[in-house]
Amino acid sequence: MSGNGNLERLRKDARQILNAALEAADPEIAVKRFVKLEGDDLLVGSDTRISLRTFGRVLVVGGGKGSAPMGKALEDVLGDRLEGGVICVKYGHGLPLKKIRVMEAAHPLPDSAGEKAAQQIMTLLESAGSGDLVISCISGGGSALLPAPAEPVTLQQKEELTKRLLEVGADIHQINTVRKHLSLVKGGNLTRIAYPAFVGNLMLSDVIGDDPDTIASGPFVPDRSTFGEALEILRRYELLERAPKAAVRRIQDGAEGKVPENPKEGDEIFDRVRNVIVGSNIISLRAGEAMARELGYRALILSSTVRGDTTQAALFHSALAEEICSTGNPVAAPACLLSGGETTVVIKGSGFGGRNQEFALALVRTASRLPNTLFLSAGTDGTDGPTDAAGAVVDSRTLERAEAAGLNPDAFLARNDSYHFFHELGDLIMTGPTRTNVMDARIVLVGE
């Protein structure tokens, strides 16, 4: 087979591997795997049995890109036992549900629609009593989709601070630490509102290590972070003078003990909460690995916890591909390497793109030196940054094709304009909304 034919095969196989990873992260399937109805008992996870005879109402609340199919699964499982609920998803990620109201809002930067949804959820939870069961559907994106700023901070001020944190390359843990201390919802605060209702908190993890208090900023989970840590993050990124004054003042007041901390481990309100993670990045990577082996590749999962600078992560993956080409290590060709996690990009230019497209763009020149090699990086939620693409793909001929089209990858990289580079080449990965989110999936294929 010709070199071009090999690359066409690699592209086809890479999409099949990605599709397998996405299917494994399907929120509806994930919830039904963990939530089952046996007579009058609701089984949640492996160790929680809830007798529905002891509850008057069953309500569903939640937020995140995958919350609509999670809600659909609960409607299917509970049927007429479910009274209603409210969830908020990203624009374009909704589903027509029967009993649960689905609201849509902006992500990654919050808007007034998300604020309205958060308020409706809080109002519903305030009506819940000890005889009610609340089931929470939380997935990636929930932090931005359920904004409820604590006074005197406004939504616009919180949005400005979030944008500044993204621009300086703060990771998801740092961003959530700050946001939790400006919110009436995050950092366990929804538990305060729902108490004394019993809460079954279902989470689709989009964070490294599947840390429950980081997934959507942990609205039903004890907050391990503090106002002092939030203040240190603003100081580290030199945002104390550049961030909205009301937001900085609240965090400073909290660090000085003038504002109560978010609820912590040991608070009695969490005695009536059960947390269950129903989906994660490693589950998706394992599905991709199985598909790669089915397609004839020697497959290896590198890690589901890749973080840090996107360009550095790209160079590490290219070094492994080069090693396979030259020595056959860590696996011999035909080889498939998979990794997950979530990297960060420090914005230096005025271009358009996301971390997965940036990852691919950083590999254009390297890939040109590696025969029969392909790199694909995509967000499992179907969107990469503020774009409509999930990611991008690069192979051994991308540089040749780019130069023929008059495109200089270095210039596009310098201005963080990965989207327009790959759009010109037709190499964007377009999945549309997947209604899930378990971070990113990266695929490296080295053919024989």
Side-chain angles (χ1 to χ4, degrees):
M1 184 181 288
S2 68
N4 289 350
N6 279 335
L7 291 176
E8 290 173 5
R9 168 70 185 274
L10 292 182
R11 284 175 173 253
K12 179 181 177 182
D13 289 349
R15 286 306 298 262
Q16 283 190 257
I17 294 167
L18 175 63
N19 288 341
L22 293 177
E23 288 173 10
D26 183 282
E28 183 177 349
I29 295 173
V31 168
K32 289 181 177 179
R33 189 186 304 128
F34 282 86
V35 181
K36 302 181 186 302
L37 189 65
E38 290 187 358
D40 290 326
D41 290 346
L42 188 67
L43 306 182
V44 182
S46 59
D47 58 0
T48 300
R49 180 181 289 268
I50 302 171
S51 175
L52 296 181
R53 287 173 293 183
T54 63
F55 293 101
R57 295 187 301 168
V58 180
L59 306 171
V60 172
V61 298
K65 300 173 189 176
S67 294
M70 294 175 78
K72 181 179 183 301
L74 290 173
E75 287 193 342
D76 290 345
V77 171
L78 291 164
D80 292 338
R81 297 173 187 266
L82 174 62
E83 178 161 316
V86 180
I87 60 176
C88 185
V89 302
K90 182 176 179 176
Y91 290 122
H93 289 237
L95 288 174
L97 301 187
K98 298 176 182 177
K99 294 190 174 183
I100 302 169
R101 182 179 182 188
V102 179
M103 303 180 70
E104 297 188 355
H107 179 279
L109 297 177
D111 67 0
S112 59
E115 189 173 25
K116 181 179 178 181
Q119 185 57 58
Q120 292 203 13
I121 287 173
M122 288 190 288
T123 299
L124 180 62
L125 292 179
E126 285 169 353
S127 74
S130 59
D132 294 325
L133 170 63
V134 174
I135 303 179
S136 170
C137 299
I138 297 296
S139 64
S143 287
L145 291 166
L146 296 177
E151 292 184 352
V153 182
T154 66
L155 179 61
Q156 290 73 24
Q157 290 167 336
K158 189 176 178 183
E159 179 180 349
E160 180 183 342
L161 180 52
T162 300
K163 183 177 181 180
R164 289 189 181 278
L165 286 165
L166 288 168
E167 288 174 346
V168 297
D171 64 29
I172 187 63
H173 294 273
Q174 294 169 326
I175 293 172
N176 283 351
T177 293
V178 173
R179 289 194 293 202
K180 281 190 286 190
H181 290 89
L182 300 175
S183 175
L184 300 175
V185 165
K186 302 170 179 61
N189 280 306
L190 274 190
T191 314
R192 275 181 174 160
I193 299 172
Y195 186 80
F198 190 91
V199 178
N201 185 31
L202 309 179
M203 295 169 285
L204 190 73
S205 174
D206 70 327
V207 299
I208 290 172
D210 301 333
D211 187 357
D213 84 341
T214 306
I215 301 169
S217 299
F220 290 100
V221 179
D223 183 12
R224 293 200 304 268
S225 68
T226 65
F227 274 107
E229 291 168 348
L231 183 62
E232 178 56 32
I233 290 167
L234 297 185
R235 183 178 292 116
R236 183 184 313 165
Y237 288 109
E238 300 179 349
L239 293 176
L240 289 176
E241 299 299 325
R242 295 188 292 135
K245 288 182 171 53
V248 173
R249 173 51 57 192
R250 175 177 169 83
I251 290 174
Q252 288 175 331
D253 285 349
E256 295 171 6
K258 299 176 183 177
V259 176
E261 268 289 359
N262 291 337
K264 306 298 181 189
E265 189 74 42
D267 192 313
E268 67 175 357
I269 65 175
F270 295 112
D271 293 343
R272 294 182 63 77
V273 178
R274 298 294 181 270
N275 295 303
V276 179
I277 293 176
V278 299
S280 66
N281 188 262
I282 189 63
I283 293 173
S284 287
L285 294 182
R286 285 172 179 157
E289 178 187 38
M291 175 56 71
R293 287 176 176 164
E294 185 177 324
L295 292 170
Y297 294 90
R298 298 179 181 92
L300 176 66
I301 295 176
L302 301 174
S303 173
S304 64
T305 61
V306 177
R307 69 196 86 185
D309 181 74
T310 296
T311 300
Q312 292 301 314
L315 294 176
F316 173 71
H317 284 71
S318 69
L320 289 174
E322 185 176 359
E323 187 74 16
I324 292 171
C325 290
S326 59
T327 71
N329 287 314
V331 289
C336 173
L337 303 179
L338 300 106
S339 75
E342 191 169 281
T343 58
T344 54
V345 177
V346 177
I347 306 298
K348 298 178 180 178
S350 58
F352 192 57
R355 61 179 177 269
N356 289 286
Q357 295 159 69
E358 184 103 353
F359 178 96
L361 184 56
L363 292 170
V364 172
R365 290 198 179 278
T366 300
S368 70
R369 301 190 293 269
L370 302 175
N372 297 325
T373 300
L374 173 146
F375 301 90
L376 182 153
S377 187
T380 56
D381 60 355
T383 55
D384 185 30
T387 77
D388 59 354
V393 60
V394 165
D395 64 33
S396 306
R397 289 194 60 242
T398 299
L399 178 61
E400 176 186 336
R401 292 170 51 229
E403 290 178 338
L407 305 175
N408 181 347
D410 300 326
F412 281 86
L413 190 61
R415 60 178 183 265
N416 301 112
D417 199 15
S418 51
Y419 181 91
H420 291 113
F421 178 86
F422 289 113
H423 184 269
E424 288 294 319
L425 294 177
D427 286 342
L428 291 168
I429 301 296
M430 309 292 286
T431 64
T434 62
R435 296 185 175 87
T436 189
N437 185 17
V438 291
M439 297 185 288
D440 301 331
R442 289 173 287 273
I443 301 165
V444 180
L445 297 183
V446 180
E448 290 183 299

